[in-house]
Amino acid sequence: MNTKYRKTVIAGNWKMNMTASEVRPFVEELKAAMPKLKGCETVLCVPAVNIPAMLRWGKDAKIACGAEDVSAFAKGAYTGEIAANMLADLGVKYCIVGHSERREYHKESDMLVNAKARALLDNGISPIICVGESLEQREMELTMAHINYQVRAALHGVDASELRRCVIAYEPIWAIGTGKTATAEQAEEVCREIRSIIREIYGARPARSVSILYGGSMNAKNAAELLAMPDIDGGLIGGASLKPADFATIIAAAGAENE
Ligand code: PGA
């Protein structure tokens, strides 16, 4: 982390877990366990139906509410979809786009990820843009080429003032939900590369200020080591964000780095 230039973001991704009635007890337990925050943004991205409860109970604990997905369209005949202005109207601050599970199970393309990021930015919501390589790509030494393509595609048409509201999350697919974390060095290498791609597109200053997160089996034990890396500005946390004590430990690790 480099807290002089950029914001630390610890974001949970609940995926398809937890009901709305479980939100309040969860937040109360987390609030009791987590340290007082200093310069660290805590976010919980939750299933759409849990958003009102997270906004209500998270406020006191200074937990920002995020969504897990959004439609690329503004409105209309898209049964089941949720538009960015609906999220914004509720008070949602962040939304994940391009998560590998959506790319895989819903065949979301880089173009669609770009359109979703655009829809969010147009409505004042910060996209958390996920990129990451598969194990095959890593073994074929295609990681950097793949990341380069994904970052450039996701940010197409996004100008420097909008970039300031974007968060990038590096999530190697082989590390998600598998218990196999990238080593701090492997994660740092790709996060540093992402920053240099952004430097090429936008220049030094925007690259220095953009927050880049690591995600993929980040947990209470390995968070401190990952967060100590200079280009890792936080985490996108799945499994461990469902356990208040573990999530609080990760927030504390970020807080300690912030001191
Ligand atoms: P994980 O998930 O922490 O359970 O590996 C991370 C993510 O998918 O964002």
Side-chain angles (χ1 to χ4, degrees), residues 13-255:
N13 172 12
W14 275 6
K15 309 192 180 186
M16 198 172 74
N17 294 293
M18 308 286 271
T19 62
S21 13
E22 288 171 312
V23 171
R24 183 181 181 180
F26 179 96
V27 170
E28 281 170 356
E29 206 180 323
L30 175 61
K31 193 181 165 197
M34 73 189 207
K36 286 237 171 342
L37 302 175
K38 238 204 221 156
C40 169
E41 173 95 322
T42 305
V43 186
L44 275 169
C45 298
V46 299
V49 292
N50 294 352
I51 288 172
M54 184 53 75
L55 284 162
R56 173 157 186 212
W57 303 112
K59 201 171 169 203
D60 239 19
K62 295 205 166 57
I63 296 166
C65 181
E68 296 180 11
D69 186 35
V70 66
S71 172
F73 300 103
K75 63 177 192 168
Y78 301 99
T79 303
E81 294 288 282
I82 294 173
N85 74 335
M86 299 174 188
L87 297 176
D89 183 61
L90 286 177
V92 168
K93 291 262 164 6
Y94 292 87
C95 179
I96 299 171
V97 291
H99 192 280
S100 63
E101 286 150 18
R102 294 214 57 93
R103 291 180 192 260
E104 182 183 352
Y105 304 131
H106 300 270
K107 303 286 167 274
E108 292 197 1
S109 67
D110 289 294
M111 313 308 144
L112 184 63
V113 172
N114 174 245
K116 289 185 173 195
R118 283 244 47 97
L120 292 168
L121 288 166
D122 291 345
N123 285 280
I125 299 172
S126 290
I128 301 176
I129 300 166
C130 302
V131 297
E133 82 286 3
S134 65
L135 188 57
E136 292 79 0
Q137 286 168 324
R138 175 159 283 266
E139 284 170 351
M140 289 171 76
E141 296 181 8
L142 290 171
T143 299
M144 296 312 186
H146 180 69
I147 297 290
N148 207 297
Y149 180 84
Q150 283 190 320
V151 170
R152 286 177 192 274
L155 293 175
H156 178 77
V158 171
D159 67 28
S161 69
E162 292 170 321
L163 177 79
R164 285 176 33 216
R165 294 190 277 123
C166 295
V167 175
I168 316 283
Y170 167 54
E171 298 209 310
I173 298 169
W174 47 272
I176 296 177
T178 58
K180 258 194 230 165
T181 323
T183 63
E185 291 71 27
Q186 282 173 324
E188 166 64 15
E189 187 187 18
V190 181
C191 291
R192 191 192 318 124
E193 177 70 13
I194 293 171
R195 200 175 304 287
S196 85
I197 297 162
I198 290 175
R199 190 177 306 115
E200 268 179 41
I201 312 173
Y202 297 97
R205 197 178 281 218
R208 201 170 61 186
S209 349
V210 68
S211 296
I212 302 175
L213 319 183
Y214 168 78
S217 302
M218 189 187 265
N219 58 39
K221 286 208 179 84
N222 61 28
E225 194 189 350
L226 288 156
L227 295 170
M229 290 291 158
D231 289 291
I232 300 179
D233 306 309
L236 182 56
I237 298 119
S241 75
L242 293 166
K243 300 177 200 133
D246 287 12
F247 197 53
T249 305
I250 299 173
I251 297 165

